[in-house]
Every structure is written in C-alpha cells, then in structure tokens.
Amino acid sequence: HHENQAGRRQSYHVLMMFTKINTSRTMQSKFEVAMRSMARHGRFREDEILVLHYVSDGGSKELAMRMLPELLHEANFQYEVVFHDVNGLTEKLFPIVMAMQKHFSAGSGAYYSDAIFFLSVAMHRIMPTEMKRIVQLDLDLKYRTNIRDLFQQFKHFPPEAVIGIVREMQPVYRHTFWQYRKENPKSRVGDPPPDGLPGFNSGVMLLNLDTMRRSELYNRLLEPEHVAHLTEKYHFRGHLGDQDFFTMIGMEHPELFHHLDCGWNRQLCTWWRDHGYGDVFQLYFLCNGPVHIYHGNCNTQIPDD
Ligand code: UPG
C-alpha cells in the first residue's frame, strides 16, 4: 500500500474546490469549521505528510494563504499546501468532459466554466502519474475523526473499484430517475437502501487514480458515445456535475464503486423532505453507526458535538 521507497515521506493527498470564497462570508465560515476540525482530529506518523490541494482563483488563494496558518495551528502533524489555478485546470478538463456537461449541468448550454465541476471524473488525467490516490472533499464538512482513517478505506477496495463514495441520503435520484422507474417498475434504480440504488453523494470521494488510469471500462465510460447511450437509456438529466455522472454509471456498473459507511459523509440537507418526498424521506436519510464526517449540504447547520 505504501507507495514510497524507504526513507521517503508518505504523502496523503486531499483536494478541495476553493473558488469565490473571498467574496462569501458563508463559505469562509464553512472553510474555518472544516480546517479547524480536520487539524484538531488529524493524527499522522512522523514520516507522513498531509498535502492539502486547493483549486482556487487569485482572490481565494490569497485569503487561504492568510487564514490557513491560524486555522491549522492545532495540527500535530506535517502538512503542505498546494494551490491549483482554476483556469489552468479548466483548460485541461474541458476537452475531456465537454460532451458530458450538457447532461449533468444546470442550464441548457455547456458552459466552459462548468467543466471544473467534473474535475473528479478526469482527475486521473490531470494529476501527475506519481500521484496514486487522492481524496476530494467538499468545504461544508466537519471532521469528527482522524482524516488519516479515511485513507485506510482504500485498502478495502475490491480490485475493479475506482472510486470510494457514500450513498446519497435524500431521494433526489428517485426523482431524477422517475421516467426510468416508471418504465422499469421492478428495477432497484433510485430505491432506498439497503437493497436499492439511491445514487451517490460527492461530498467525500476516494479516487484511486492508479485504478482509474488502468480501468478500460472506466475510461470507455468517459467517451461521448457511451455517455450519450447511458443518458438515453436512463432518461438522465441532472445538474450536480460529477455526482450525477458517478450515480448514472454506478447504476450500470456498480462494481466500479466501493461503498463507504454512511458515517464518512453524513449529509444533513432535508430539502426533498419538504418537496414532495416526505413519505419516503426517512428511508433515505437514515444513517446508523458513528458519524466520522458531517456534511452540512444545502447550507444546513452542523450540530455541535
Ligand atoms: N464551492 C466553491 N465556491 C463556491 C461554491 C462551492 O469553491 O462558491 C465548492 C466548495 O468546496 C463546496 C463545493 O464546491 O463545498 C460544493 O458546493 P456546496 O455549495 O457545498 O454544495 P452542497 O450544498 O454541499 O452540495 C450540493 C448537494 C450535494 C452535492 C453537491 C455536489 O446538496 O449533495 O454533493 O451539491 O456539488
């Protein structure tokens, strides 16, 4: 599992989207909660280093450089911060994800700037080949355990799995797959757990870049013809970017995904409970077992411990 030769530090890579944060007080306070809790609970060995990657614009980078030393002052481990310019990444991504954007983006057209919402999908082609694994994390998270423990989940991936992810905890995909479910009443697509296929949430994602690069199946699914075929089959039209793409290919090829326990991404948003799905909501929302990471999605308040 350890990729480094003797004597070299082992790196643990995490990546966060970090754009337009300097103009939003709300996003800044989420950033503070996430980084402070990650630092407080983080434990690493002396020969290990946590590498924090931020995809940012100039203003957000400046803000992060100013705030991070204080936010991470409780960290009892080595860390390093790397900034990636959102424009540079978008330029590399656009040709790869252009064809899928129209199926999984808000609005009618495929905007150049939306390509970045598909970064995780093509991360294996963006990051240097020396990087074997990376964890992508939303900013509206609160860590209650050691982030290093999350990386241990890579060891439990079955051989074909490329991504480790938690299921979606609202009936959003029950809604999205409405037509397919009507045409295929016996299908488990969009059904609640434990037997159904509720789709995925992209707030916490373990990307095995090595396997993503080597998987013929996964790379075939990125091709425009395959995306078109599946979106037609499932009548899929979404607006959540990578999360929608992974959910759709997961219906067809569940073996590509390793399911993480729900406690690794305990989503708190309840929007769909009050928008037509109150009767089935709890079936999706229920998550037993310890909460390792809270996800205050759709601006939901995260409880104090
Ligand atoms: N982000 C920025 N700048 C912004 C807004 C978002 O960098 O101005 C980043 C940030 O890392 C954030 C992430 O994008 O955490 C996702 O955006 P956010 O506003 O946190 O979306 P959520 O409300 O958490 O999530 C919605 C869905 C959730 C899904 C996500 C997929 O509720 O289920 O995982 O969208 O993008």
Side-chain angles (χ1 to χ4, degrees), residues 16-21 27 30 137-140 168 201-203 240 242-243 267 269 295-299:
M16 284 157 272
M17 291 300 306
F18 199 78
T19 57
K20 299 185 215 135
I21 308 299
M27 291 307 294
K30 290 175 183 178
L137 301 162
D138 271 0
L139 220 51
D140 50 353
E168 168 63 40
N201 182 276
S202 60
L240 296 174
D242 54 0
Q243 172 173 319
Q267 301 129 240
C269 181
H295 184 184
N297 56 160
C298 79
N299 295 314

Side-chain angles (χ1 to χ4, degrees), residues 80-138:
E80 180 187 329
V81 178
V82 179
F83 291 97
H84 302 264
D85 173 49
V86 64
N87 297 316
L89 287 192
T90 301
E91 206 170 298
K92 287 190 201 170
L93 271 172
F94 186 67
I96 312 173
V97 303
M98 174 178 57
M100 68 173 71
Q101 280 183 231
K102 60 174 178 290
H103 306 289
F104 312 115
S105 302
S108 46
Y111 297 101
Y112 179 75
S113 58
D114 286 346
I116 200 68
F117 298 118
F118 298 86
L119 172 61
S120 59
V121 165
M123 192 80 83
H124 60 306
R125 308 222 184 130
I126 300 294
M127 291 299 172
T129 47
E130 304 85 68
M131 197 187 282
K132 307 296 186 198
R133 286 175 284 277
I134 194 165
V135 172
Q136 185 168 334
L137 301 162
D138 271 0

